[in-house]
Amino acid sequence: MQKIEVLRQSLSSLDPTQQQQLLVAGSSVAVLLTCYYWVYQGTKTKRIPIGDGWWGAGEKPQSEDEKVFPFQVQTSDEEIQDLYDRIDRTRYTEPLEDTGFQYGFNSTYLKKVVSHWRHQFNWKKQIAILNKYPQFKTNIEGLDVHFIHVRPPHREGQRVLPLMLVHGWPGSVYEFYRILPLLTNSLDSLAFEVICPSIPGYGFSEAPHKQGFDTLAAARVFHKLMERLGFSDYYLQGGDWGAIITTNMAQMKPECVKGLHLNMLTNNMRGFGVLFSILIGRYLPWLVGFTREDVRRLFGSVGFMEKNIYEIIRETGYLHIQGTKPDSAGCGVNDSPVGLAAYILEKFSTWTDFNNRDLEDGGLERKFTLDDLLTNIMIYWTTGSIVSSMRFYKENLKTNIDNRLDNHTGVYVPTGLAAFPNEVRHVPQSWARDRFRNIYSYSYMPRGGHFAAFEEPQLLADDLLQFVKKVEKL
């Protein structure tokens, strides 16, 4: 940190002649880096092996049942009464004075949320909303995989394209209920036939019974799902884990993926090129491919280290717990509905906007209704899937993730990237190109955070549509 500050001071103290010399030297470095990039790009693998797996209990049978059968969410009075009994026995800890969400979910506001849950929230009504879209299950690699499948109404002259939407943690397929009508019931020249699967171990999809189920396994399972439904080529969209899973799908079977659209961008932060752009980008953004908006989002008023390192450290304690001992932490929130709500809803507060930490209510009701938030909580609670969803981190982080083949494989399918301003981390297009080699669109979204489909469904739907139109036109 001190070295970076010294460099900044040195740059600002240069006279015009020295600055000109720095520009020449920097331009030379940029040319060399560009040459290195194109040479290195040619050496990277262009696809990853598909492989196979079995995640069901016991040994793999001789043949798999490939039937697709309807599914509906159900409940019982006993299930609801058990929830109420557990809520009524909750023990609260008073918050520190003058705190918002800096220490986690503020327990004063938590009592308000729980009171709404206990006395106003109607789970049976929310189940009717969940069941308004056709839902199904089918067994793939030993797991009953749940998915929503929505076909658009027939409109003369309208093209219909298949699209898979994949959620992340701590979300569920319910995140897509606001965007589904925008994609399937569009008056535009294009509409989508949408498939939204639940990641195995999340919500209504069966949890793996064996170790090792990671994003690569999920990608293969979802390809098999699309094949089983009769699709040979399709579009993909995802955020959070869904972004990584759909990226893996594009790396596995690029011939099946017409286009990949992401609202969470990832890149390798290592390497001289990234370091050089961090050091120089604030002062000479054009030299490293940054825009003014990239500079604003990367550095802000607090600097790169504060915004991208220290802030991330403050917000990733959950990742270290879930990536090492998910069962220990999970058993508590799996047993306490209020504990589960506090654990999950704190993410919906902070990941929507880091500034929400300074508010006593966490800003939760600025973008969401309590009924919507609690519906997502109930999906985890009634299925008992919080522990298996947390294990997904362990499976993906148990080995050095930098050694995984997908992190050394480019993505060559047409790609659309939607950069939301309050996403946990900003990735400029110049960084994204190192992995995504065929970027058709890169959009600086005007507002929104990590849960894009849930927060800003219209913005996400519009950006997805303009990307698909570019791909289809070309």
Side-chain angles (χ1 to χ4, degrees), residues 161-397:
L161 301 171
L163 167 69
M164 175 178 278
L165 304 177
V166 184
H167 67 89
W169 188 91
S172 65
V173 291
Y174 187 63
E175 289 181 65
F176 300 125
Y177 272 57
R178 293 181 180 181
I179 199 172
L180 277 171
L182 303 177
L183 299 174
T184 60
N185 199 20
S186 169
L187 297 177
D188 200 275
S189 59
L190 287 179
F192 296 96
E193 181 175 349
V194 182
I195 296 88
C196 303
S198 295
I199 300 171
Y202 287 67
F204 306 113
S205 278
E206 185 178 357
H209 296 266
K210 294 175 171 59
Q211 297 182 40
F213 189 90
D214 57 12
T215 60
L216 299 172
R220 184 178 63 247
V221 165
F222 290 166
H223 269 309
K224 290 182 177 181
L225 171 61
M226 294 300 277
E227 181 181 355
R228 189 168 296 181
L229 295 177
F231 299 109
S232 58
D233 50 46
Y234 33 86
Y235 285 89
L236 302 172
Q237 201 288 325
D240 196 82
W241 281 124
I244 301 176
I245 292 170
T246 53
T247 298
N248 289 162
M249 292 176 73
Q251 293 169 312
M252 275 183 183
K253 299 183 72 173
E255 69 277 9
C256 293
V257 180
K258 297 186 71 176
L260 171 69
H261 187 274
L262 306 175
N263 61 272
M264 186 189 81
L265 319 184
T266 58
N267 76 302
N268 191 336
M269 288 291 289
R270 299 178 182 178
F272 178 74
V274 172
L275 177 61
F276 180 74
S277 64
I278 292 172
L279 295 175
I280 301 298
R282 192 168 191 173
Y283 309 98
L284 302 170
W286 58 269
L287 186 62
V288 293
F290 286 178
T291 65
R292 290 183 179 180
E293 184 63 16
D294 289 327
V295 173
R296 189 185 71 80
R297 294 189 184 190
L298 277 175
F299 300 95
S301 60
V302 294
F304 182 85
M305 291 295 290
E306 175 65 26
K307 193 170 178 62
N308 297 274
I309 304 300
Y310 301 135
E311 280 282 38
I312 299 300
I313 291 173
R314 293 186 191 106
E315 293 304 323
T316 51
Y318 81 98
L319 186 148
H320 299 288
I321 293 172
Q322 296 176 187
T324 53
K325 301 295 177 64
D327 287 30
S328 296
C331 66
V333 288
N334 189 54
D335 189 59
S336 167
V338 176
L340 178 67
Y343 191 71
I344 287 181
L345 293 186
E346 181 257 316
K347 303 306 178 193
F348 278 88
S349 165
T350 306
W351 294 354
T352 301
D353 188 340
F354 280 2
N355 292 324
N356 285 342
R357 290 175 303 200
D358 298 326
L359 306 174
E360 187 177 281
D361 65 357
L364 276 170
E365 294 177 73
R366 292 182 172 186
K367 288 291 185 76
F368 314 108
T369 68
L370 289 182
D371 278 357
D372 280 341
L373 292 170
L374 289 170
T375 298
N376 184 64
I377 299 300
M378 286 295 287
I379 290 174
Y380 279 90
W381 176 255
T382 57
T383 59
S385 60
I386 186 61
V387 175
S388 54
S389 74
M390 292 164 69
R391 286 175 183 161
F392 201 50
Y393 286 80
K394 173 79 171 180
E395 303 298 5
N396 283 286
L397 301 174

Side-chain angles (χ1 to χ4, degrees), residues 438-450:
N438 194 7
I439 298 176
Y440 272 53
S441 71
Y442 181 99
S443 305
Y444 296 98
M445 308 305 286
R447 61 185 180 274
H450 186 70

